[in-house]
Amino acid sequence: MRLTAFTDYCLRVMMYSALAGERLVTINEIAQAYGISASHLTKVVFFLGQHGYLTTVRGKGGGMRLADDPQQVNLGKLVRAAETDNVLVECFDPQHSQCRIASACRLMNVLHAAQEAFYGELSRHTLADLLVQPAGLGRALGIEIRLVSD
């Protein structure tokens, strides 16, 4: 299973925003911290805002912050929402599958179970689990840690 760059960036934005606590952060700030494209992050932030993960403030002095406490952000739910193409192999998409053995093959069931186990493991964790020891992450990103619980 491989996550898309979009999903990876969603997780990174959420982690950074959580480290900042109530402080508004900007797309450019996050892009610089991770060394990634601000234009890619614009799409990510729009998605996260539309799905209720971030609260955004427009205009001068604007930015974004987490909409919920990190303990309320389920990683499995977030990743499922961000991963729009869950077609692991051709036979997962019966409308477009050209697989000649699909009707007799057991591989699809095994792969589907593996995919569900992957999402199941993610669903056991929240954003807060990624921030248990935030000091190293804060140093790596060059951010002053201001977790909501502080």
Side-chain angles (χ1 to χ4, degrees):
M1 178 94 206
R2 182 180 176 136
L3 297 178
T4 62
F6 182 83
T7 302
D8 178 27
Y9 292 172
C10 283
L11 293 166
R12 292 186 199 202
V13 167
M14 294 295 288
M15 290 167 58
Y16 192 96
S17 299
L19 288 173
E22 291 294 319
R23 181 176 70 81
L24 289 174
V25 297
T26 66
I27 290 171
N28 286 334
E29 177 185 343
I30 296 172
Q32 184 175 12
Y34 285 115
I36 56 181
S37 165
S39 63
H40 284 69
L41 289 183
T42 300
K43 297 172 194 166
V44 167
V45 168
F46 179 77
F47 169 85
L48 292 170
Q50 290 293 107
H51 284 80
Y53 289 104
L54 292 176
T55 299
T56 57
V57 177
R58 298 174 79 103
K60 185 175 177 155
M64 71 205 102
R65 67 173 62 98
L66 289 183
D68 287 316
D69 186 280
Q71 292 177 331
Q72 302 303 313
V73 180
N74 182 278
L75 297 181
K77 184 177 176 185
L78 172 58
V79 170
R80 278 187 192 265
E83 286 290 313
T84 57
D85 182 10
N86 285 310
V87 178
L88 199 56
V89 290
E90 181 182 351
C91 57
F92 276 32
D93 184 6
Q95 293 179 340
H96 298 101
S97 178
Q98 300 294 317
C99 183
R100 293 181 177 189
I101 64 169
S103 63
C105 183
R106 297 183 49 109
L107 179 61
M108 181 172 71
N109 292 335
V110 171
L111 292 175
H112 181 71
Q115 185 178 42
E116 288 305 308
F118 175 78
Y119 285 124
E121 181 60 27
L122 287 172
S123 293
R124 292 181 52 237
H125 300 280
T126 68
L127 183 58
D129 294 330
L130 305 179
L131 308 170
V132 172
Q133 296 178 335
L137 189 57
R139 277 192 304 276
L141 292 171
I143 182 175
E144 182 182 338
I145 300 169
R146 297 181 182 181
L147 297 175
V148 174
S149 61
D150 288 352

